[in-house]
Amino acid sequence: MADGGAVPSRADARRNRALVLQAARFAFEEQGLGVPLGEIARRAGVGAGTVYRHFSSKEALFRATIVDRIELLTDTARDLADVTDPGPVFFRFLASVVRLASQNKALCDALEASGAGRFEPSPGVGKNFEEALEVLLSRAQEASEVRQDVGIADVRALLVGCLSMERARAGSGAGGGVQGRMTALMCEALQSERSVTKLPSGVAKRNGARCEVCGAVLTTAPTGRPARYCGGACRQKAHRARGRARQR
C-alpha cells in the first residue's frame, strides 16, 4: 500500500515496523550511522513515509536497533561480577566486546559516540553498561590483576580506541592488520604486573635485510634462515634473470 493511501491497519503497521527494524539492523551493522534512511526504506520494501511514521529520525531508528545489543553486553558483564577469577574474566570480557563491536559497524559507532558523549542509546543504557564494566574493573583491581591507577574513563577510552583500530586494520587487508593485535596490546597495558604478551600470529619480524629484486624490507623466515626475496613474485623474477644470464 502506498504511503499516501489509507491509514494502514494495526497488523499492517506492526508488520511494516518489523520490516523497517530488520532492514535497519542489517544496514546499520554494515554501514553504521552513515546509511541513508532511503536505503533502509528500500531494503524494507516500504516508502520513506512509512519509516518516518514509525521513527521520527534516523537517530531514533538507530537507537531502536542498537539498544538490545548494548543491553546484552551489560547483562553479560553483570553475570560475570561474582566469578572467582576476576582478572582473566575482565580481560576476556574486554576482548569479546572489541571482537563483537569491530564486526558490527552499528555497535562500533554507538560505543564510539557514547564514549565521546555524543550519543545515548536510550536513557540509562550507556550508563548501565559503564557501571557493569566498572564492577569488573574494580574486582580485577582488588585481585591485583589490573593496575591501580586506571579508572573506568581510561578503560572506556582504551576500549573505544582499540575497537576502532581493530576494525580499521581488519578492513585494510594489509599484512599488518592482524585481528587481535591491538586488543592484546591494550590488555597488556592494563595488567598490574606486565609481562610480554604473546601477540596473535601473523605479525612479521623484521630482520633488517632487503629483497634482492625490489629492495623491500624482508621478514625472518619461519625456519630462521635469512630470506633473500620478499615473496614468490620477486623470487620468480630472480630465477628468470639467472636463466637469461646463463644463456648468454
Side-chain angles (χ1 to χ4, degrees):
M1 179 170 51
D3 287 347
V7 176
S9 67
R10 290 184 179 180
D12 286 340
R14 286 195 299 269
R15 180 181 62 83
N16 288 339
R17 189 179 192 278
L19 288 172
V20 171
L21 273 174
Q22 182 180 30
R25 183 170 288 115
F26 286 118
F28 283 133
E29 285 181 4
E30 295 169 6
Q31 303 178 43
L33 273 166
V35 63
L37 268 180
E39 169 67 10
I40 294 173
R42 185 191 65 78
R43 291 189 182 205
V46 300
T50 297
V51 178
Y52 281 112
R53 189 176 296 129
H54 293 284
F55 303 96
S56 60
S57 66
K58 182 168 70 171
E59 187 174 273
L61 178 55
F62 184 75
R63 284 195 180 98
T65 63
I66 203 64
V67 164
D68 60 336
R69 298 293 191 268
I70 297 179
E71 287 179 338
L72 179 60
L73 293 176
T74 301
D75 290 342
T76 301
R78 287 170 174 166
D79 290 341
L80 297 172
D82 297 322
V83 295
T84 57
D85 52 344
V89 165
F90 171 72
F91 290 119
R92 286 199 298 270
F93 180 75
L94 284 184
S96 68
V97 171
V98 172
R99 185 179 66 255
L100 290 172
S102 62
Q103 296 170 357
N104 184 328
K105 189 67 167 61
L107 187 54
C108 185
D109 282 358
L111 290 175
E112 285 182 350
S114 179
R118 302 191 309 270
F119 174 74
E120 173 62 38
S122 184
V125 172
K127 184 173 180 290
N128 290 341
F129 172 72
E130 187 168 300
E131 289 176 349
L133 179 59
E134 189 170 15
V135 171
L136 297 185
L137 169 64
S138 297
R139 291 218 57 219
Q141 288 175 321
E142 291 169 2
S144 299
E145 297 282 353
V146 173
R147 44 193 294 176
Q148 299 298 315
D149 60 343
V150 169
I152 187 60
D154 301 315
V155 174
R156 185 181 61 196
L158 285 171
L159 184 62
V160 170
C162 183
L163 70 90
S164 296
M165 288 300 298
E166 289 285 14
R167 184 173 180 84
R169 291 166 71 88
S172 69
V178 180
Q179 278 195 292
R181 177 174 170 82
M182 294 296 101
T183 306
L185 290 173
M186 173 185 66
C187 290
E188 180 181 317
L190 289 169
Q191 291 175 17
S192 56
E193 296 181 3
R194 287 181 290 167
S195 57
V196 178
T197 300
K198 184 178 180 182
L199 298 177
S201 60
V203 181
K205 297 180 179 179
R206 304 294 184 181
N207 63 15
R210 293 185 176 274
C211 175
E212 295 180 6
V213 175
C214 69
V217 177
L218 297 174
T219 58
T220 302
T223 60
R225 296 172 57 187
R228 297 177 61 187
Y229 311 108
C230 63
C234 284
R235 187 178 296 107
Q236 188 64 28
K237 289 179 182 178
H239 176 72
R240 288 197 296 266
R242 287 195 298 269
R244 289 194 296 269
R246 286 194 295 267
Q247 293 173 3
R248 292 173 183 170

